[in-house]
Coordinates of all heavy atoms in Angstrom, one line a residue:
M92 N 70.6 79.1 -3.6 CA 69.7 78.1 -4.2 C 68.5 78.8 -4.7 O 68.1 79.9 -4.2 CB 69.4 77.0 -3.2 CG 70.5 76.1 -2.8 SD 71.0 75.0 -4.2 CE 69.5 74.0 -4.3
A93 N 67.9 78.2 -5.7 CA 66.6 78.7 -6.2 C 65.9 77.6 -6.9 O 66.5 76.6 -7.3 CB 66.9 79.8 -7.2
Y94 N 64.6 77.8 -7.1 CA 63.8 76.9 -7.9 C 64.0 77.2 -9.3 O 64.2 78.3 -9.7 CB 62.4 76.9 -7.4 CG 62.1 75.9 -6.3 CD1 62.8 76.1 -5.1 CD2 61.2 74.9 -6.4 CE1 62.5 75.1 -4.1 CE2 60.9 74.0 -5.4 CZ 61.6 74.2 -4.2 OH 61.4 73.3 -3.2
I95 N 63.9 76.2 -10.2 CA 63.9 76.3 -11.6 C 62.6 75.7 -12.2 O 62.2 74.6 -11.8 CB 65.2 75.7 -12.2 CG1 66.4 76.5 -11.8 CG2 65.1 75.6 -13.7 CD1 67.7 75.8 -12.2
I96 N 62.0 76.4 -13.1 CA 60.8 75.8 -13.8 C 61.2 75.1 -15.1 O 61.9 75.7 -16.0 CB 59.8 76.9 -14.1 CG1 59.3 77.5 -12.8 CG2 58.7 76.4 -15.0 CD1 58.4 78.8 -12.9
N97 N 60.9 73.8 -15.2 CA 61.4 73.1 -16.3 C 60.4 73.1 -17.5 O 59.4 73.8 -17.4 CB 61.7 71.6 -15.9 CG 60.5 70.8 -15.6 OD1 59.4 71.1 -16.0 ND2 60.7 69.8 -14.7
D98 N 60.7 72.4 -18.5 CA 59.9 72.5 -19.8 C 58.5 71.9 -19.7 O 57.7 72.0 -20.6 CB 60.7 71.8 -21.0 CG 61.9 72.7 -21.4 OD1 61.9 73.9 -21.0 OD2 62.7 72.1 -22.1
D99 N 58.2 71.2 -18.6 CA 56.9 70.7 -18.4 C 55.8 71.8 -18.1 O 54.6 71.6 -18.2 CB 56.8 69.8 -17.2 CG 57.6 68.5 -17.4 OD1 57.8 68.1 -18.6 OD2 58.0 67.8 -16.5
C100 N 56.3 73.0 -17.9 CA 55.4 74.2 -17.6 C 54.4 74.4 -18.7 O 54.8 74.4 -19.9 CB 56.3 75.4 -17.4 SG 55.3 76.9 -17.2
V101 N 53.1 74.5 -18.4 CA 52.1 74.7 -19.3 C 51.6 76.2 -19.2 O 50.5 76.5 -19.8 CB 50.9 73.7 -19.2 CG1 51.4 72.3 -19.5 CG2 50.3 73.8 -17.8
A102 N 52.3 77.0 -18.6 CA 52.1 78.4 -18.5 C 50.7 78.8 -17.9 O 50.0 79.7 -18.4 CB 52.3 79.1 -19.9
C103 N 50.3 78.1 -16.9 CA 48.9 78.3 -16.3 C 49.0 79.5 -15.4 O 47.9 80.1 -15.1 CB 48.5 77.1 -15.5 SG 49.4 76.8 -13.9
G104 N 50.1 79.9 -14.9 CA 50.3 81.1 -14.0 C 50.0 80.9 -12.5 O 50.1 81.8 -11.7
A105 N 49.7 79.7 -12.1 CA 49.3 79.4 -10.7 C 50.5 79.7 -9.8 O 50.3 80.3 -8.7 CB 48.9 78.0 -10.5
C106 N 51.7 79.4 -10.2 CA 52.8 79.6 -9.3 C 53.1 81.1 -9.1 O 53.5 81.5 -8.0 CB 54.1 78.9 -9.9 SG 54.4 79.5 -11.6
E107 N 52.9 81.9 -10.1 CA 53.2 83.3 -10.0 C 52.4 84.0 -8.8 O 53.0 84.7 -8.1 CB 52.9 84.0 -11.3 CG 53.2 85.5 -11.3 CD 52.9 86.2 -12.6 OE1 52.1 85.7 -13.4 OE2 53.4 87.3 -12.9
A108 N 51.2 83.5 -8.7 CA 50.4 84.1 -7.6 C 50.8 83.6 -6.3 O 50.5 84.3 -5.3 CB 48.9 83.7 -7.9
E109 N 51.4 82.5 -6.2 CA 51.8 81.9 -4.9 C 53.1 82.3 -4.4 O 53.4 82.2 -3.2 CB 51.8 80.3 -5.0 CG 50.4 79.7 -5.2 CD 49.5 80.1 -4.1 OE1 49.9 80.0 -2.9 OE2 48.3 80.4 -4.3
C110 N 53.9 82.9 -5.2 CA 55.3 83.3 -4.8 C 55.3 84.5 -3.9 O 54.8 85.5 -4.3 CB 56.2 83.5 -6.0 SG 57.9 83.9 -5.5
P111 N 55.8 84.3 -2.7 CA 55.8 85.4 -1.7 C 56.6 86.6 -2.0 O 56.4 87.7 -1.5 CB 56.2 84.8 -0.4 CG 57.1 83.6 -0.8 CD 56.5 83.2 -2.1
V112 N 57.6 86.4 -2.9 CA 58.4 87.5 -3.3 C 58.4 87.9 -4.7 O 59.2 88.7 -5.3 CB 59.9 87.2 -2.9 CG1 60.1 87.1 -1.4 CG2 60.4 85.9 -3.6
S113 N 57.3 87.5 -5.4 CA 57.1 87.8 -6.8 C 58.3 87.6 -7.7 O 58.6 88.4 -8.5 CB 56.6 89.3 -6.9 OG 55.4 89.5 -6.2
A114 N 58.9 86.4 -7.5 CA 60.1 86.1 -8.2 C 59.8 85.4 -9.5 O 60.7 85.1 -10.3 CB 61.0 85.2 -7.4
I115 N 58.5 85.0 -9.8 CA 58.1 84.3 -11.0 C 57.4 85.3 -11.9 O 56.6 86.0 -11.6 CB 57.2 83.2 -10.6 CG1 57.9 82.2 -9.7 CG2 56.8 82.4 -11.9 CD1 57.0 81.1 -9.1
S116 N 57.8 85.1 -13.2 CA 57.2 86.0 -14.2 C 57.1 85.2 -15.5 O 57.8 84.2 -15.7 CB 58.0 87.3 -14.5 OG 59.3 87.0 -14.8
E117 N 56.2 85.6 -16.4 CA 56.0 85.0 -17.7 C 57.0 85.6 -18.7 O 57.2 86.7 -18.8 CB 54.6 85.2 -18.2 CG 54.2 84.4 -19.4 CD 54.6 85.1 -20.7 OE1 54.7 86.4 -20.7 OE2 54.7 84.5 -21.7
K118 N 57.6 84.6 -19.4 CA 58.5 85.1 -20.5 C 58.5 84.2 -21.7 O 58.7 83.0 -21.6 CB 60.0 85.0 -19.9 CG 61.1 85.6 -20.8 CD 62.4 85.7 -20.0 CE 63.4 86.5 -20.7 NZ 64.0 85.8 -21.9
D119 N 58.1 84.7 -22.8 CA 58.0 83.9 -24.0 C 57.1 82.7 -23.9 O 57.5 81.6 -24.4 CB 59.4 83.6 -24.5 CG 60.2 84.8 -24.8 OD1 59.7 85.8 -25.2 OD2 61.5 84.7 -24.7
G120 N 56.0 82.8 -23.2 CA 55.1 81.7 -23.1 C 55.4 80.7 -22.1 O 54.7 79.7 -22.0
K121 N 56.5 80.9 -21.3 CA 56.8 80.0 -20.2 C 57.0 80.9 -19.0 O 57.3 82.1 -19.1 CB 58.1 79.2 -20.5 CG 58.0 78.2 -21.6 CD 57.1 77.0 -21.3 CE 57.1 76.0 -22.4 NZ 56.3 74.9 -22.1
Y122 N 56.9 80.2 -17.8 CA 57.2 81.0 -16.6 C 58.6 80.7 -16.1 O 59.1 79.6 -16.2 CB 56.1 80.6 -15.6 CG 54.9 81.4 -15.8 CD1 54.0 81.1 -16.9 CD2 54.5 82.5 -15.0 CE1 52.9 81.8 -17.2 CE2 53.4 83.2 -15.2 CZ 52.5 82.9 -16.3 OH 51.4 83.6 -16.6
V123 N 59.2 81.7 -15.6 CA 60.6 81.6 -15.1 C 60.8 82.2 -13.7 O 60.0 83.0 -13.3 CB 61.6 82.3 -16.1 CG1 61.6 81.7 -17.5 CG2 61.2 83.8 -16.2
V124 N 61.8 81.6 -13.0 CA 62.1 82.1 -11.7 C 63.3 83.0 -11.7 O 64.3 82.7 -12.4 CB 62.4 80.9 -10.7 CG1 62.9 81.4 -9.4 CG2 61.2 80.0 -10.5
N125 N 63.2 84.1 -11.1 CA 64.4 85.0 -10.9 C 65.2 84.4 -9.7 O 64.8 84.6 -8.6 CB 63.9 86.4 -10.6 CG 65.1 87.4 -10.5 OD1 66.2 87.0 -10.1 ND2 64.8 88.7 -10.8
A126 N 66.3 83.9 -10.1 CA 67.1 83.1 -9.0 C 67.6 84.1 -8.0 O 67.9 83.7 -6.9 CB 68.2 82.4 -9.7
D127 N 67.8 85.4 -8.3 CA 68.3 86.3 -7.3 C 67.2 86.7 -6.3 O 67.6 87.2 -5.2 CB 68.7 87.6 -8.0 CG 70.0 87.4 -8.9 OD1 70.8 86.5 -8.6 OD2 70.2 88.1 -9.8
E128 N 65.9 86.5 -6.6 CA 64.9 86.8 -5.7 C 64.3 85.6 -4.9 O 63.7 85.7 -3.9 CB 63.7 87.5 -6.4 CG 64.2 88.9 -7.0 CD 63.1 89.5 -7.9 OE1 62.0 88.9 -8.0 OE2 63.3 90.6 -8.3
C129 N 64.5 84.4 -5.5 CA 63.9 83.2 -5.0 C 64.4 82.9 -3.6 O 65.6 82.9 -3.4 CB 64.1 82.0 -5.9 SG 63.5 80.5 -5.3
L130 N 63.5 82.5 -2.7 CA 63.8 82.2 -1.3 C 63.9 80.7 -1.1 O 64.1 80.2 0.1 CB 62.8 82.8 -0.4 CG 62.6 84.3 -0.4 CD1 61.4 84.7 0.5 CD2 63.8 85.0 -0.1
D131 N 63.6 79.9 -2.1 CA 63.7 78.5 -2.0 C 62.6 77.9 -1.1 O 62.7 76.9 -0.4 CB 65.0 78.1 -1.4 CG 65.6 76.8 -2.2 OD1 65.3 76.6 -3.3 OD2 66.5 76.1 -1.6
C132 N 61.4 78.6 -1.1 CA 60.4 78.2 -0.2 C 59.5 77.0 -0.6 O 58.9 76.4 0.1 CB 59.4 79.4 0.1 SG 58.4 79.8 -1.3
G133 N 59.5 76.8 -1.9 CA 58.7 75.7 -2.5 C 57.3 75.9 -2.8 O 56.6 75.0 -3.2
A134 N 56.8 77.1 -2.5 CA 55.3 77.4 -2.7 C 54.9 77.2 -4.1 O 53.8 76.7 -4.4 CB 55.0 78.8 -2.2
C135 N 55.8 77.5 -5.0 CA 55.5 77.4 -6.5 C 55.3 75.9 -6.9 O 54.4 75.5 -7.6 CB 56.6 78.0 -7.3 SG 58.3 77.5 -7.0
A136 N 56.2 75.1 -6.3 CA 56.1 73.6 -6.6 C 54.7 73.1 -6.1 O 54.1 72.3 -6.7 CB 57.3 72.9 -5.9
G137 N 54.3 73.6 -4.9 CA 53.0 73.1 -4.3 C 51.8 73.5 -5.1 O 50.8 72.9 -5.1
A138 N 52.0 74.6 -5.9 CA 50.8 75.2 -6.6 C 50.8 74.6 -8.0 O 49.7 74.7 -8.7 CB 51.0 76.7 -6.7
C139 N 51.9 74.1 -8.5 CA 52.0 73.7 -9.9 C 51.3 72.4 -10.2 O 51.5 71.4 -9.5 CB 53.4 73.6 -10.3 SG 53.6 73.2 -12.1
P140 N 50.4 72.3 -11.2 CA 49.7 71.0 -11.6 C 50.5 70.0 -12.3 O 50.1 68.8 -12.4 CB 48.5 71.6 -12.5 CG 49.1 72.8 -13.1 CD 49.9 73.4 -12.1
V141 N 51.7 70.4 -12.7 CA 52.5 69.5 -13.5 C 53.9 69.3 -12.9 O 54.7 68.6 -13.5 CB 52.6 69.9 -15.0 CG1 51.3 69.9 -15.7 CG2 53.3 71.3 -15.1
G142 N 54.1 69.8 -11.7 CA 55.4 69.6 -11.1 C 56.6 70.2 -11.8 O 57.8 69.7 -11.7
A143 N 56.4 71.3 -12.5 CA 57.5 71.9 -13.2 C 58.5 72.6 -12.4 O 59.7 72.6 -12.7 CB 56.9 72.9 -14.3
P144 N 58.1 73.3 -11.3 CA 59.2 73.9 -10.5 C 59.9 72.9 -9.6 O 59.3 72.1 -8.9 CB 58.5 74.9 -9.6 CG 57.1 75.0 -10.2 CD 56.8 73.6 -10.8
N145 N 61.3 72.9 -9.6 CA 62.0 72.0 -8.8 C 63.3 72.7 -8.3 O 63.8 73.6 -8.9 CB 62.5 70.8 -9.6 CG 61.3 69.8 -9.9 OD1 60.9 69.1 -9.1 ND2 60.8 70.0 -11.2
P146 N 63.8 72.3 -7.2 CA 65.0 72.9 -6.6 C 66.2 72.8 -7.6 O 66.3 71.7 -8.1 CB 65.3 72.1 -5.3 CG 64.0 71.5 -5.0 CD 63.3 71.2 -6.3
A147 N 66.9 73.8 -7.7 CA 68.1 73.7 -8.6 C 69.1 72.8 -7.9 O 69.2 72.7 -6.6 CB 68.7 75.1 -8.8
E148 N 69.9 72.1 -8.6 CA 70.9 71.2 -8.0 C 72.1 72.0 -7.6 O 72.4 73.0 -8.1 CB 71.3 70.1 -9.1 CG 70.1 69.2 -9.4 CD 70.6 68.1 -10.4 OE1 71.7 67.9 -10.6 OE2 69.6 67.4 -10.9
Ligands
LIG495 FE1 58.9 82.0 -5.2 FE2 59.3 80.2 -3.3 FE3 59.0 79.3 -5.8 FE4 61.2 80.7 -5.0 S1 60.5 78.6 -4.3 S2 60.1 81.0 -6.9 S3 60.4 82.1 -3.5 S4 57.4 80.4 -4.6
LIG496 FE1 54.1 76.6 -15.2 FE2 53.5 75.1 -13.1 FE3 53.8 77.7 -12.9 FE4 51.6 76.7 -14.1 S1 52.2 76.5 -12.0 S2 52.9 78.5 -14.8 S3 52.6 74.9 -15.2 S4 55.4 76.2 -13.5

């Protein structure tokens, strides 16, 4: 399992700083989660002002 950042992302960068394993990076003006590194901790969701990171189904 991993979190996925949806299109609501406004590229503020807050989640990148909160991720304990640095699984989030900026790509083409949006932020993305590296699913192979994500621990499913939810810290990114807690930091995001627009609720863009959500657990993958
Ligand atoms: Fe990083 Fe946790 Fe978000 Fe996964 S759920 S991207 S490990 S902050
Ligand atoms: Fe995008 Fe939310 Fe991360 Fe900001 S905190 S870069 S809006 S996913």
Side-chain angles (χ1 to χ4, degrees):
M92 290 291 291
Y94 271 59
I95 292 175
I96 295 173
N97 68 26
D98 288 344
D99 292 340
C100 175
V101 295
C103 72
C106 56
E107 182 179 20
E109 292 299 318
C110 181
V112 292
S113 300
I115 299 172
S116 58
E117 187 272 337
K118 188 171 190 288
D119 297 333
K121 296 286 184 181
Y122 279 70
V123 295
V124 174
N125 181 332
D127 291 333
E128 296 177 355
C129 177
L130 303 176
D131 223 24
C132 73
C135 50
C139 182
V141 296
N145 288 282
E148 293 183 12

